[in-house]
Amino acid sequence: MDKMLTKFESKSNRVKGLSFHPIRPWILAALHNGHIQLWDYRMGTCLDRFEEHEGPVRGVDFHRVQPLIVSGGDDYKVKVWDYKLRRCLFTLLGHLDYIRTVQFHTDYPWIVSASDDQTIRIWNWQSRNCISVLTGHNHYVMCASFHPKEDMIVSASLDQTVRVWDTTGLRKKTVRGAPTQDDGTVVARVNNELFGGNDAIVKYVLEGHERGVNWASFHPTLPLVISGADDRQVKLWRMNETKAWEVDTMRGHTNNVSCALFHPKHELIVSNSEDRTIRVWDISKRLGVQTFRRESDRFWVLAAHPDQNLLAAGHDSGMIVFKLERERPAFDVLANKCFYVKERYLRMHEFSNSKDVPLVSLRRTTSNATPGIGGGPRTLTYNSLNKAENNVLILSDSEGGTYELITFSTESTGAGDAQDVRRGNALSAVFIARDRFAVLDKTRQLLVKNFQNDVVKRSTPPLAGVDGLFFAGTSGRILMKSEDRVLLYDLQARKNISELQVPRVKYVIWNNDFSLVALISKHQVVLANKQLEQLCAVTETVRLKGGCWDSKPVFLYSTLNHVKYLLSNGDKGIVRGLDAPLYVAKVQGNALLCLDREGKMRTVEIDITEAIFKLALERKDYAEIMRMVKHSRLCGQAIISYLQDKGYPEVALHFVHDSKTRFKLALACGNIQVAMNVAHDLGDDAWRQLGVEALRQGNHEVVEMSYQKTKEFECLSFLYLITGNTDKLRKMQKIAEMRGDVMSCVHNALFLGDVEERVKIIESTGQLSLAYLAAKTHGLEETADRLEELLLASNLAIPTVNPNASLLQPPTPILRTENWPLLAVGKSALSDLADGGSSSKGVSSIKVDDADDDFHDAAGGAGSSWGADDDLFDDEGGITGAEEKKTAGKAGKEKAAGGGWGDDDDLDLSDDEDKVVGKANSSSPTSKAGGFDYFAAPTAGNPPTSSWCSESTHCADHFAAGSVESAIQLLNRQIAAVNVSPIKQQALSLFLGSTAYLPGLPSMPVNRSYLVKDSAPAATGTSKQTSTKTLPVLSLKVAVLLEQLKQAY
């Protein structure tokens, strides 16, 4: 029994109708439960369902151009659907019984339908009416279909006949522009009314089947018809202009033949039956050449893709999409040459000059199998270990697996046969030395043979279930594969070197120096080194077709519809799309050389700049990164996201011109200056985000500007409070009065410590008691006496003043400088990007576009922000005059814009707003580097408590570190303690005693200091070496514990 090359399989109710989309990888399935399913057979997903039919749906078809579907079912209805709108457009009524098949015409707006009412109807789906009824069958019409090119219809019926109808008259009558017929006679009118006229007439009646005929179909190009019937026979018919006759009968099915059709690309007939088999017949030999069997499902329908080598079959529990043969050409690449098999010739293609010549005729060597059903070369392997002569191993699936060792000359013209051919049966074969090759025979034994085909060594493979061998990059080694793993095996030493879990490997591809290998399975690529240690793996949802290595090294591979790249660190991306599957052979500059399914070498233009850029980042090749940033057109959300994920938002900022993305990146890398420039175009939300980032950095001048832009008065007041800016607090007080915001007035008075103003505001709101308490508590006796009289006049009780009340005064600000001090950090390697590339690495300074000026302004003049490194950059890194002008220009622009107050400029409350931007570039450490745009602060180290736990097995040290869980585990393991609650007080004492807390500045948190033991000298001598262990001081001493123990006794 032959093995089916299944591409997709679905599980569903019984499938009675199938149709391939002519362009997209879609297939329609009509189900016996009344549903229609739309599947993507490439992705293996159900895209849509159409569920308006009542009862089984037996026929379905795609329109060749329009987004239309036609279906017919047991509810006597023909429905036309729009799959884009996902609904039924209209229903055609007229049939009086079950509808068996429906089909669109390839050129005309026609639909043909066959029904159990013994008629065939032709519908115009544009005018939505029936234009012809074909009568003549006297039993159920099981199928009807248009000829792909001629004006003919073929139909099959249970009356044991196949009929061919001529629709020329109908075309002339209904298709616009065709000559019309004269229907003026009485006979013609009566004929039209009673019998539908002579628009479509019977051309041939094919009789020969002994029982009802279930299916008939035309050959796409030849005047042939195929039919299948309940007499278990498949009949081939030929037609000419005047007659049709039976050519031959193919017997072999053991039950009713459900469907039969011609293969669209090869001279083959495919039929399926209720005997649970699909059979393939050779038209010329009229013999069965392949049989595929299912265990328990009867087959009901077949469909062939109009352009591709794809077939589909519907059965009782779903459908399958399959091929009859592999379409991948057998080829191998060595340096600048590609050896491949095409049309029974071994050919050589030279990449340098595109010379393509046949070398050896394989007509006498390869199996003479029927074209189109497999049996041809499956793989070709060139012997790269033999420099003296040319050897290839060709494997094929014929006779259960065969190999052919062919020795040839590259000077051959292809006219002669191979110089030397050795054959044998094998599951797999691979070269292992200059004059040796390994064979896996059908008994799963490993044989080493010489070039005379004699067995030199025989052994049992160390891998159970081994089913394939691959070249291992080194003489004397092979790669073995089984169902779930790959093994690197040394044949000389007979030992396993390494093993990798990769299921069902199909192809193994080495790079030029055999240091890296790619293992490709149906949906997965695994990259490994020559010792078979995995570097990375990637899984695709569609099938992989092959790949090759670039010299960088970058691994390029093709899927059904894309060319993609993969790096050894796992980074991947899409290089370009493909219209048809291609098999990658070699990368040559910006060209990808591939073989197509016809064995033609094709050149595909590619751009792998993105992959090379990622590789440079991985290798930290900053000179290459800078060169690519200046000269390459890297763009897109993918590269921006990648740079952010890898921690290089400052590099991503260089590629972006979109304001929103640019703003986000500027915040991500802390570039306050760029973010501020972009925020002018984005509105209040951007200013709020900028304020948060500036506050995090301590750049309170930018925070102030952000709050002014967004009119966040309360935040502004608090900012002026903590920065000690009392002048602006008084201005905020005036603003609050003008706005009539009483609460804001109280807050500002409170922040200023102005008790009189606070009492005045409270009194104005009618809160006399509260005003009296505030005045009395703060010693304003005159005001308090006046308020007391008002309270008495208003018959209100005089509140009692608490003699212990404290004065509510604002805290003293920590610093009154322009900006808070920031941490000075070292300059990163990538900061050269902002300096225009003028580094000491030999990269010349290159002028950048004006669009990126603000990017460079942010760090171009970072002369005073480098801490101790200032003297290193006096000559190269200093700010230029042009940059100073640019910076001053931005400050002037900000001042001209009226600062951050917008409509409130008339309040004249921002007299020194020009400092906000001007100083951002010139004065403070923060803004000189744009908020340290390109410099990462050192990461926080681990606290000593982490080492206390890792370096000690004493529970007291763990309690001191606050790790209660590990301490309890130690107690349980060392003394079998179960209940530790009695020592809770001692544990708390250890924890509290190991830490000292030192008070800091006002409004700042306290500083925590860990108390550790003195490190004893490691040895006597002049130099002291501190112990590697750092453990806490323990508050509990042994003497104290012994004393407590004595007291307990």
Side-chain angles (χ1 to χ4, degrees):
M1 193 61 58
D2 297 289
K3 185 178 179 181
M4 180 179 287
L5 294 172
T6 304
K7 296 298 176 183
F8 168 67
E9 186 166 1
S10 73
K11 298 294 183 184
S12 65
N13 207 283
R14 181 186 303 169
V15 174
K16 300 292 286 184
L18 289 170
S19 177
F20 280 103
H21 193 282
I23 300 172
R24 298 183 180 180
W26 294 352
I27 187 168
L28 276 172
L31 308 186
H32 198 261
N33 63 1
H35 297 172
I36 302 168
Q37 292 180 339
L38 175 59
W39 290 89
D40 185 322
Y41 54 79
R42 190 176 282 177
M43 302 292 290
T45 55
C46 184
L47 302 177
D48 213 338
R49 289 181 175 85
F50 307 95
E51 303 177 353
E52 286 190 21
H53 276 286
E54 299 170 2
V57 185
R58 300 180 184 272
V60 70
D61 191 36
F62 271 115
H63 194 278
R64 192 168 64 94
V65 179
Q66 300 295 331
L68 299 178
I69 297 167
V70 63
S71 62
D74 286 6
D75 53 4
Y76 314 164
K77 295 174 182 177
V78 176
K79 288 181 176 288
V80 177
W81 314 73
D82 188 316
Y83 59 72
K84 286 187 177 179
L85 300 178
R86 305 175 68 181
R87 64 182 179 88
C88 178
L89 298 179
F90 55 89
T91 302
L92 302 173
L93 301 175
H95 280 296
L96 305 175
D97 209 335
Y98 296 169
I99 297 171
R100 294 285 178 173
T101 63
V102 288
Q103 186 192 20
F104 281 111
H105 196 282
T106 54
D107 298 319
Y108 310 144
W110 292 355
I111 295 168
V112 63
S113 58
S115 171
D116 285 0
D117 63 7
Q118 305 179 16
T119 67
I120 301 161
R121 287 180 177 259
I122 302 175
W123 314 79
N124 186 316
W125 56 264
Q126 288 181 339
S127 61
R128 303 185 184 183
N129 61 358
C130 178
I131 58 174
S132 186
V133 180
L134 282 58
T135 58
H137 284 294
N138 53 27
H139 209 307
Y140 299 165
V141 184
M142 300 301 290
C143 86
S145 60
F146 291 111
H147 192 282
K149 296 178 182 177
E150 305 291 336
D151 291 326
M152 289 190 290
I153 291 174
V154 65
S155 61
S157 171
L158 294 188
D159 62 7
Q160 303 179 16
T161 66
V162 175
R163 291 179 180 243
V164 178
W165 309 76
D166 188 341
T167 59
T168 305
L170 183 65
R171 175 179 58 82
K172 292 179 179 178
K173 178 182 176 181
T174 61
V175 177
R176 186 173 301 172
T180 58
Q181 291 178 311
D182 183 15
D183 293 339
T185 64
V186 176
V187 175
R189 287 199 300 270
V190 172
N191 190 31
N192 283 339
E193 291 174 4
L194 294 179
F195 306 107
N198 60 353
D199 300 337
I201 59 173
V202 176
K203 192 170 185 180
Y204 312 113
V205 179
L206 309 179
E207 298 179 325
H209 281 290
E210 298 173 2
R211 301 188 66 179
V213 187
N214 292 315
W215 202 271
S217 59
F218 287 114
H219 192 282
T221 56
L222 300 175
L224 298 175
V225 172
I226 193 72
S227 62
D230 287 347
D231 58 6
R232 307 175 184 177
Q233 297 174 2
V234 177
K235 287 185 179 289
L236 180 65
W237 314 79
R238 180 177 286 275
M239 306 177 296
N240 62 16
E241 290 299 324
T242 58
K243 63 177 180 177
W245 64 96
E246 181 181 333
V247 176
D248 208 344
T249 300
M250 283 150 281
R251 297 176 175 85
H253 282 294
T254 59
N255 206 331
N256 302 338
V257 180
S258 306
C259 189
L261 49 78
F262 292 99
H263 194 286
K265 289 185 172 289
H266 300 287
E267 295 305 303
L268 300 171
I269 295 168
V270 185
S271 63
N272 63 7
S273 166
E274 294 180 41
D275 64 4
R276 303 187 296 280
T277 65
I278 298 174
R279 293 177 185 265
V280 183
W281 315 82
D282 189 321
I283 291 181
S284 58
K285 299 175 183 177
R286 285 125 194 196
L287 293 173
V289 291
Q290 275 186 323
T291 304
F292 308 109
R293 186 184 302 277
R294 286 186 76 87
E295 292 299 322
S296 57
D297 295 317
R298 297 168 294 174
F299 285 103
W300 297 103
V301 67
L302 278 169
H305 197 287
D307 300 318
Q308 299 179 22
N309 182 26
L310 285 175
L311 297 167
H315 52 78
D316 282 333
S317 59
M319 68 163 173
I320 47 175
V321 177
F322 63 99
K323 288 182 178 179
L324 297 181
E325 68 170 349
R326 288 185 176 89
E327 296 178 282
R328 177 190 176 92
F331 72 97
D332 197 8
V333 177
L334 178 72
N336 202 36
K337 297 176 182 177
C338 176
F339 299 92
Y340 66 101
V341 176
K342 179 182 178 183
E343 297 173 354
R344 303 211 177 189
Y345 276 92
L346 175 64
R347 304 179 68 91
M348 179 182 71
H349 181 92
E350 295 187 23
F351 296 123
S352 57
N353 54 16
S354 299
K355 181 182 176 183
D356 196 304
V357 294
L359 298 176
V360 176
S361 171
L362 304 178
R363 295 185 185 277
R364 297 184 183 179
T365 63
T366 53
S367 168
N368 292 320
T370 302
I373 61 167
R378 175 162 51 93
T379 61
L380 181 150
T381 308
Y382 185 87
N383 188 6
S384 60
L385 302 172
N386 189 350
K387 306 297 183 183
E389 59 184 7
N390 298 293
N391 319 112
V392 293
L393 274 170
I394 296 179
L395 293 174
S396 66
D397 291 326
S398 59
E399 301 173 16
T402 59
Y403 71 86
E404 290 165 350
L405 173 64
I406 302 174
T407 303
F408 61 94
S409 169
T410 55
E411 303 302 322
S412 171
T413 61
D417 295 330
Q419 297 173 2
D420 188 16
V421 179
R422 308 288 177 177
R423 302 183 185 86
N425 293 323
L427 297 175
S428 187
V430 65
F431 291 108
I432 58 169
R434 184 179 61 83
D435 56 353
R436 295 284 189 274
F437 64 99
V439 171
L440 181 67
D441 68 9
K442 294 183 179 179
T443 62
R444 307 295 171 109
Q445 290 292 306
L446 191 61
L447 311 178
V448 177
K449 294 187 175 185
N450 58 25
F451 281 7
Q452 285 70 46
N453 216 20
D454 299 326
V455 178
V456 178
K457 186 185 294 184
R458 186 188 303 268
S459 62
T460 302
L463 185 63
V466 59
D467 56 7
L469 305 177
F470 297 105
F471 180 57
T474 308
S475 177
R477 293 182 177 182
I478 58 171
L479 287 172
M480 298 182 181
K481 80 174 181 79
S482 67
E483 187 73 11
D484 61 344
R485 67 191 65 199
V486 175
L487 178 73
L488 180 59
Y489 183 66
D490 192 317
L491 284 166
Q492 298 290 339
R494 293 194 177 185
K495 69 173 185 178
N496 303 344
I497 298 174
S498 61
E499 189 177 287
L500 193 57
Q501 297 282 341
V502 186
R504 300 177 183 177
V505 172
K506 296 171 70 176
Y507 315 113
V508 172
I509 301 164
W510 291 88
N511 68 340
N512 292 334
D513 60 359
F514 300 105
S515 61
L516 296 172
V517 64
L519 309 173
I520 301 180
S521 54
K522 184 187 290 186
H523 293 286
Q524 188 179 36
V525 181
V526 176
L527 300 188
N529 59 20
K530 63 182 179 181
Q531 297 300 324
L532 216 60
E533 297 168 344
Q534 180 172 325
L535 302 176
C536 70
V538 62
T539 302
E540 297 286 344
T541 54
V542 297
R543 293 171 185 262
L544 299 167
K545 293 300 177 183
C548 68
W549 289 90
D550 188 16
S551 57
K552 302 299 180 195
V554 176
F555 185 68
L556 292 161
Y557 63 96
S558 62
T559 66
L560 278 169
N561 45 16
H562 286 104
V563 176
K564 300 186 176 184
Y565 69 84
L566 178 62
L567 305 182
S568 56
N569 63 353
D571 290 334
K572 60 179 182 177
I574 296 175
V575 177
R576 61 165 295 156
L578 293 176
D579 296 329
L582 294 175
Y583 303 93
V584 178
K586 185 178 177 65
V587 182
Q588 202 169 49
N590 288 331
L592 189 66
L593 301 165
C594 313
L595 280 169
D596 63 12
R597 285 175 166 172
E598 282 71 41
K600 297 178 183 177
M601 189 64 69
R602 299 191 180 276
T603 302
V604 178
E605 293 296 322
I606 59 170
D607 182 2
I608 57 171
T609 308
E610 180 182 311
I612 298 170
F613 181 78
K614 291 181 179 180
L615 199 63
L617 272 178
E618 174 68 18
R619 294 173 172 175
K620 294 181 169 56
D621 186 353
Y622 297 121
E624 177 69 8
I625 293 170
M626 287 189 288
R627 185 192 68 79
M628 297 184 73
V629 165
K630 303 301 180 187
H631 298 291
S632 299
R633 293 184 177 179
L634 284 168
C635 59
Q637 192 59 42
I639 194 73
I640 294 167
S641 301
Y642 175 83
L643 288 166
Q644 280 188 280
D645 293 341
K646 292 294 182 179
Y648 299 106
E650 68 274 13
V651 184
L653 189 61
H654 191 79
F655 301 125
V656 182
H657 298 286
D658 176 68
S659 296
K660 288 186 178 179
T661 310
R662 193 171 178 79
F663 180 76
K664 290 178 182 177
L665 288 171
L667 290 185
C669 61
N671 193 330
I672 294 297
Q673 182 64 40
V674 174
M676 189 163 59
N677 292 335
V678 177
H680 289 288
D681 304 325
L682 297 180
D684 287 354
D685 190 55
W687 284 107
R688 288 189 186 93
Q689 296 178 53
L690 177 61
V692 171
E693 176 61 23
L695 190 61
R696 188 185 68 82
Q697 292 190 13
N699 193 334
H700 61 73
E701 292 175 345
V702 176
V703 177
E704 177 186 359
M705 181 178 176
S706 301
Y707 289 163
Q708 289 175 0
K709 289 283 187 180
T710 55
K711 306 291 192 299
E712 297 185 26
F713 299 106
E714 299 297 330
C715 296
L716 264 175
S717 297
F718 191 75
L719 177 69
Y720 295 147
L721 168 68
I722 60 176
T723 56
N725 197 332
T726 53
D727 292 339
K728 289 191 177 180
L729 260 179
R730 291 190 178 91
K731 293 178 182 179
M732 293 304 299
Q733 178 76 17
K734 295 178 183 177
I735 293 173
E737 290 175 2
M738 295 178 67
R739 287 169 49 228
D741 189 342
V742 176
M743 203 65 207
S744 182
C745 290
V746 173
H747 285 160
N748 284 301
L750 187 62
F751 294 159
L752 285 166
D754 190 344
V755 181
E756 293 180 359
E757 183 67 22
R758 195 159 75 240
V759 171
K760 177 182 173 184
I761 295 167
I762 296 174
E763 182 185 357
S764 67
T765 61
Q767 301 287 335
L768 298 178
S769 300
L770 189 58
Y772 172 78
L773 283 173
K776 195 72 174 174
T777 303
H778 290 85
L780 303 177
E781 296 297 339
E782 293 181 4
T783 306
D785 293 342
R786 181 175 57 80
L787 289 170
E788 184 176 355
E789 293 175 0
L790 290 174
L791 285 170
L792 293 172
S794 303
N795 295 323
L796 294 175
I798 306 298
T800 304
V801 178
N802 186 352
N804 299 319
S806 59
L807 304 181
L808 197 57
Q809 293 293 333
T812 304
I814 306 164
L815 295 168
R816 293 180 185 267
T817 58
E818 294 162 339
N819 270 336
W820 291 333
L822 290 183
L823 178 66
V825 294
K827 189 176 183 182
S828 74
L830 281 174
S831 63
D832 291 325
L833 293 172
D835 295 334
S838 57
S839 73
S840 58
K841 296 195 176 187
V843 180
S844 62
S845 179
I846 300 168
K847 187 180 184 302
V848 295
D849 296 336
D850 292 338
D852 288 329
D853 283 348
D854 51 354
F855 174 77
H856 294 272
D857 289 346
S864 61
S865 301
W866 298 112
D869 296 332
D870 287 346
D871 55 337
L872 299 179
F873 301 94
D874 288 344
D875 297 329
E876 299 179 24
I879 187 166
T880 64
E883 286 173 340
E884 285 180 353
K885 289 178 183 177
K886 205 178 295 177
T887 304
K890 291 189 182 295
K893 187 192 301 180
E894 184 63 40
K895 186 174 181 180
W901 291 108
D903 296 334
D904 294 326
D905 284 341
D906 56 331
L907 299 177
D908 193 24
L909 296 172
S910 51
D911 50 356
D912 52 356
E913 283 168 23
D914 53 331
K915 296 178 185 177
V916 174
V917 180
K919 291 180 181 179
N921 281 334
S922 59
S923 62
S924 70
T926 305
S927 47
K928 283 179 184 175
F932 293 102
D933 337 6
Y934 313 108
F935 323 114
T939 55
N942 293 323
T945 52
S946 61
S947 62
W948 296 354
C949 295
S950 61
E951 295 177 357
S952 173
T953 57
H954 197 292
C955 66
D957 294 327
H958 287 247
F959 277 129
S963 180
V964 179
E965 185 176 352
S966 61
I968 293 174
Q969 289 175 354
L970 284 173
L971 286 170
N972 180 264
R973 196 181 310 130
Q974 293 170 356
I975 61 173
V978 177
N979 181 18
V980 295
S981 56
I983 62 171
K984 178 179 178 181
Q985 195 59 42
Q986 286 78 7
L988 287 172
S989 175
L990 287 168
F991 174 69
L992 296 174
S994 65
T995 310
Y997 294 92
L998 304 174
L1001 295 168
S1003 73
M1004 293 290 286
V1006 295
N1007 295 314
R1008 186 177 182 183
S1009 178
Y1010 298 98
L1011 305 179
V1012 296
K1013 297 177 182 176
D1014 291 335
S1015 300
T1020 57
T1022 56
S1023 63
K1024 290 185 179 182
Q1025 295 178 344
T1026 57
S1027 171
T1028 57
K1029 289 187 177 181
T1030 302
L1031 297 177
V1033 171
L1034 298 180
S1035 60
L1036 297 177
K1037 303 297 181 184
V1038 176
V1040 177
L1041 293 175
L1042 286 174
E1043 186 63 31
Q1044 291 180 356
L1045 187 63
K1046 289 177 183 177
Q1047 292 177 1
Y1049 282 111

